[in-house]
Amino acid sequence: MIFNSEVRIKILALLYGMEYCEFSYLREKLKVSPGNLEHHLKILEKEGLVIIKKAITKKGIRTVVKITEKGKEEFKKFLGEILNLTNLKEGK
Protein backbone atom coordinates (compact mmCIF):
# COMPACT_ATOMS: atom_id res chain seq x y z
CA MET A 1 0.00 0.00 0.00
CA ILE A 2 1.24 3.46 -0.90
CA PHE A 3 0.11 5.23 2.25
CA ASN A 4 1.72 2.87 4.74
CA SER A 5 4.96 4.88 4.52
CA GLU A 6 5.45 8.19 6.27
CA VAL A 7 8.06 9.18 3.66
CA ARG A 8 5.69 8.58 0.74
CA ILE A 9 2.91 10.50 2.48
CA LYS A 10 5.26 13.43 3.05
CA ILE A 11 6.48 13.31 -0.57
CA LEU A 12 2.92 13.53 -1.86
CA ALA A 13 2.04 16.25 0.67
CA LEU A 14 4.96 18.41 -0.47
CA LEU A 15 4.24 17.84 -4.14
CA TYR A 16 0.50 18.41 -3.69
CA GLY A 17 1.22 21.96 -2.63
CA MET A 18 4.02 22.63 -5.10
CA GLU A 19 3.14 20.59 -8.21
CA TYR A 20 6.84 19.78 -8.74
CA CYS A 21 10.23 20.22 -7.14
CA GLU A 22 13.81 19.05 -7.39
CA PHE A 23 15.05 15.80 -5.90
CA SER A 24 17.52 17.72 -3.73
CA TYR A 25 14.73 19.85 -2.25
CA LEU A 26 12.71 16.76 -1.32
CA ARG A 27 15.78 15.13 0.20
CA GLU A 28 16.56 18.21 2.27
CA LYS A 29 12.97 18.70 3.50
CA LEU A 30 12.42 15.02 4.34
CA LYS A 31 15.90 14.48 5.79
CA VAL A 32 16.36 11.10 4.08
CA SER A 33 19.26 9.61 2.18
CA PRO A 34 19.31 9.84 -1.63
CA GLY A 35 18.89 6.06 -1.88
CA ASN A 36 15.93 6.03 0.48
CA LEU A 37 14.22 8.87 -1.36
CA GLU A 38 14.85 7.23 -4.72
CA HIS A 39 13.33 3.97 -3.45
CA HIS A 40 10.11 5.69 -2.37
CA LEU A 41 9.91 7.80 -5.53
CA LYS A 42 10.19 4.68 -7.69
CA ILE A 43 7.25 3.11 -5.83
CA LEU A 44 5.18 6.27 -6.35
CA GLU A 45 6.21 6.42 -10.01
CA LYS A 46 5.31 2.77 -10.57
CA GLU A 47 1.82 3.49 -9.19
CA GLY A 48 1.47 6.50 -11.50
CA LEU A 49 1.37 9.06 -8.69
CA VAL A 50 4.52 10.97 -9.67
CA ILE A 51 6.63 11.56 -12.76
CA ILE A 52 10.41 11.70 -12.45
CA LYS A 53 12.37 13.58 -15.11
CA LYS A 54 16.13 13.93 -15.36
CA ALA A 55 17.93 16.62 -17.31
CA ILE A 56 21.60 17.28 -17.87
CA THR A 57 22.63 20.80 -16.90
CA LYS A 58 25.97 22.60 -16.58
CA LYS A 59 26.00 21.68 -12.89
CA GLY A 60 25.24 18.00 -13.49
CA ILE A 61 22.10 15.91 -13.58
CA ARG A 62 18.96 17.65 -12.32
CA THR A 63 16.08 15.45 -11.21
CA VAL A 64 12.61 16.96 -11.04
CA VAL A 65 9.64 15.19 -9.48
CA LYS A 66 6.06 16.14 -10.40
CA ILE A 67 2.79 14.90 -8.92
CA THR A 68 0.30 13.51 -11.46
CA GLU A 69 -3.44 14.08 -11.53
CA LYS A 70 -3.84 10.53 -10.25
CA GLY A 71 -1.42 11.38 -7.44
CA LYS A 72 -3.45 14.45 -6.48
CA GLU A 73 -6.69 12.47 -6.45
CA GLU A 74 -5.24 9.58 -4.43
CA PHE A 75 -3.71 11.95 -1.89
CA LYS A 76 -6.96 13.91 -1.59
CA LYS A 77 -8.86 10.66 -1.05
CA PHE A 78 -6.34 9.61 1.61
CA LEU A 79 -6.76 12.93 3.44
CA GLY A 80 -10.53 12.51 3.32
CA GLU A 81 -10.24 9.08 4.91
CA ILE A 82 -8.04 10.48 7.68
CA LEU A 83 -10.53 13.29 8.34
CA ASN A 84 -13.41 10.78 8.45
CA LEU A 85 -11.53 8.68 11.00
CA THR A 86 -10.87 11.78 13.09
CA ASN A 87 -14.54 12.72 13.00
CA LEU A 88 -15.56 9.19 14.02
CA LYS A 89 -13.11 9.26 16.91
CA GLU A 90 -14.47 12.59 18.13
CA GLY A 91 -18.05 11.30 17.86
CA LYS A 92 -19.15 13.69 15.10
Side-chain angles (χ1 to χ4, degrees), residues 29-77:
K29 284 293 183 186
L30 300 173
K31 301 199 182 333
V32 294
S33 70
N36 192 337
L37 180 56
E38 189 172 341
H39 167 77
H40 289 290
L41 286 174
K42 284 182 180 180
I43 291 170
L44 292 170
E45 183 179 45
K46 183 179 176 185
E47 294 296 322
L49 304 182
V50 300
I51 297 169
I52 303 168
K53 295 198 177 205
K54 295 186 183 226
I56 298 174
T57 67
K58 292 178 183 178
K59 295 182 179 182
I61 297 175
R62 178 179 178 228
T63 303
V64 175
V65 183
K66 181 176 181 4
I67 193 168
T68 63
E69 286 302 316
K70 179 181 177 183
K72 288 178 187 177
E73 288 303 314
E74 291 293 322
F75 187 68
K76 201 157 63 170
K77 187 167 42 170

Side-chain angles (χ1 to χ4, degrees), residues 3-21:
F3 296 104
N4 65 349
S5 164
E6 184 179 337
V7 173
R8 290 193 290 270
I9 292 168
K10 287 180 178 181
I11 290 169
L12 290 173
L14 282 167
L15 291 173
Y16 190 84
M18 299 177 67
E19 292 281 328
Y20 67 91
C21 65

